[in-house]
Structures are given as structure tokens and as C-alpha cells.
Amino acid sequence: MTSNWDDYDLFCHVVEHGNFSAAARALDRPKSSLSAAVIRLETSLQARLLERTTRRLRMTEAGEALFHGMGPLFAALREAHLAVLEQRQGVSGTLRIAAPYEFGAEHLAPVVCAMMERYRQLRIELDVHHASLNPLEQGHDLAFAMLESALPASTIVVRRVMSLERKLYAAPALIKAHRSPATPRQLAKMPMLAGLSDTEWRFRGPDGGTESITLQSPRLVSGNADVRLQAAIAGHGVLRVAEPFATPAIGAGLLQRLLPDYSCDPLRVYALLPAKRLMPEKVRLFLETLEQQVRQDVTGRGSLMGWTSRRLIGAAPEAATR
């Protein structure tokens, strides 16, 4: 029987993306066409390749053998094809990016605008979210996240991109009502505005020692930094946030700094990319433009991290929380 190599490639796409729906979105093809391709391949090989359930997709022993043998070959072919197209057409097509709301608004928006100005044939989709994403599952070329758990080492490249200094802020009326705290212990008596994963806040004091406070009953819990910012301005609690996000409110006198002699854990931002031998030119240029933007952002004072290594594949770096 003549081999249909497209069916092999589609099978590899399904495995790489984790399920039929994600692969269909990435390829912009009907889910039914991918399912039919896998069925044809199983019939041709007379072997079950995938175990399908309502909640997950799992490769059989035959499926694993086929994918490990064919997957790298098709990935290399796709990358070579893309490289040739980029050389002929320049930077074009669609760049799909996912990012946390506050990072996307404060740091990626200028980069997106610069890329669109420089590369007129490039289309960008920026999806803002509040949870870490596996870029393969939603078909993104690049995802930014504050990682709290490891991702599959075989399919994800993890890069530490930048580190943003975080500080504590509160409305003047709230500070007046509770008196300005001099230590984290005194701060713990004030109402808190917490991120979704905040259980404690750690500090480094002027003497170099470390202290922490437990957030037992925050007044507000939200993964959206803008919601927490508005609550802080309204006087409902203490806000811990990356400094650029609070700068306009500080300038307007709506927020004031707390514990200036103490430093908080920084906000560490990571770039997640599908593991490929060659990085697509549009992704490489976007990351380079982001690097340039951060270098110029003296207000944000963000520090670049991790750009010296070409790839870092393995367990995610140290966990970071908002």
C-alpha cells in the first residue's frame, strides 16, 4: 500500500499538540480531517496508535515507536520549509503570542507595535490570560508566564526573560488609618490584596536578613493586577506589584510606597516556546525587539535574564509567583 506521508505528519501534529482539537486549531483544519488521517494510518499499519478517551489522548506502544521515529524527521522538514519561506517572503504570516494581562499591557504592547511598524506583512495575535499556558496546547508560537510548575521537557523550551522589581503600595487614607508600618510584622496587620497563588510575601531587610508574612485572609484575591490596583487606590488593602504598573497612580498621589527599606521577591517572567531545532525568524525578532525595549525602559528598570543560552530544555526554573 502506498504511504500517505501527510497522514504521518498529521499524526505527529496531534501528538505534539496533545490532542486533536489543539492540532486542528494550529493547522487551521477541521478536527475530523485529523481524526480521519489517524484512522487511515492505523488501518494501513494494522496497529492502534492512539488511545482516545474523553479527557486525554495517550499513545500506544506502537504509537510511541512511530512518533519517536518519524516526529523529528517531520519537524525538521517543517522547519526547513519555514526557513526557505522566510528567506523569500521576509517576516510575514501570523505570530501567535500569549501573555499575562499586566505583562502584555505594560511590556509587550510597545513591542507588538514596533514589530507591526517594521514588518508590514506580519500579523500578530496577542492573547492575554491569567494562567500559565503550554504554547502547544493552544497553538501559540510564544507564551509568557510566571511559572509555578514544570512543563514537559521534550516539548517546551523555557527561557527566563526578565526580572521586574516589585514594591508595596497603599492608598494614603489606608496608611493614615493604620499608621505607616516600619517592619513586615507591622504590615501583616493591614488588609492585603493578593494574587491567585500568594500565600506569603518574603522580604529582604536593610541588614540583609529575610522575613516573611503569611497571607491568611486577604481582603481580595485576584489574578488580575489591574483589579488589585483599583482596589488599592480605593483604599481596600496593600498592593504588591511590579513598579511600572503602579507608576501613574503614584504620580497622581493615589498610592504611596510602603516599607521602602525592604525589597520584595522580584517578578520573574519566562518565555515558553515549542521545542524546535530552528527558532522561527518572527519569534527570534520578537524576542530581540523585547530585549531592546526592556533595555530602553528606564522607568521599568527590568533586568534581562537568560539570553546568553540558546536553549534551556528541562525542568522549569525556580518557581515564581505574582
Side-chain angles (χ1 to χ4, degrees), residues 164-223:
L164 295 171
E165 184 179 0
R166 288 188 291 189
K167 297 179 180 178
L168 301 173
Y169 305 97
L174 183 68
I175 296 175
K176 183 177 180 180
H178 289 80
R179 297 184 181 181
S180 184
T183 66
R185 180 174 296 182
Q186 295 176 4
L187 177 75
K189 299 177 182 179
M190 300 178 69
M192 302 293 176
L193 308 174
L196 292 177
S197 58
D198 286 350
T199 57
E200 69 172 4
W201 288 351
R202 293 182 295 272
F203 305 89
R204 183 173 296 277
D207 60 355
T210 58
E211 297 182 49
S212 64
I213 60 173
T214 302
L215 278 63
Q216 295 181 338
S217 300
R219 185 76 194 282
L220 170 70
V221 177
S222 173

Side-chain angles (χ1 to χ4, degrees), residues 203-263:
F203 305 89
R204 183 173 296 277
D207 60 355
T210 58
E211 297 182 49
S212 64
I213 60 173
T214 302
L215 278 63
Q216 295 181 338
S217 300
R219 185 76 194 282
L220 170 70
V221 177
S222 173
N224 189 316
D226 191 51
V227 171
R228 301 198 305 272
L229 176 66
Q230 292 182 45
I233 292 173
H236 296 307
V238 176
L239 172 71
R240 183 184 68 165
V241 74
E243 184 179 11
F245 204 72
T247 297
I250 298 167
L254 301 175
L255 292 177
Q256 293 180 5
R257 172 95 184 269
L258 294 176
L259 299 184
D261 295 330
Y262 288 81
S263 60

Side-chain angles (χ1 to χ4, degrees), residues 96-178:
R96 296 178 176 86
I97 306 168
Y101 171 79
E102 56 270 33
F103 181 70
E106 293 296 315
H107 295 278
L108 293 189
V111 181
V112 168
C113 291
M115 289 288 289
M116 291 191 298
E117 178 67 25
R118 192 173 304 160
Y119 307 106
R120 296 306 180 96
Q121 301 303 313
L122 180 65
R123 180 175 178 270
I124 296 178
E125 295 180 4
L126 177 59
D127 176 24
V128 294
H129 61 91
H130 304 299
S132 295
L133 293 178
N134 182 327
L136 285 175
E137 292 178 352
Q138 301 297 327
H140 294 108
D141 300 297
L142 176 64
F144 293 91
M146 276 65 79
L147 295 183
E148 298 179 33
S149 59
L151 290 171
S154 60
T155 57
I156 296 297
V157 175
V158 182
R159 276 189 169 188
R160 183 164 166 184
V161 176
M162 61 190 298
S163 182
L164 295 171
E165 184 179 0
R166 288 188 291 189
K167 297 179 180 178
L168 301 173
Y169 305 97
L174 183 68
I175 296 175
K176 183 177 180 180
H178 289 80

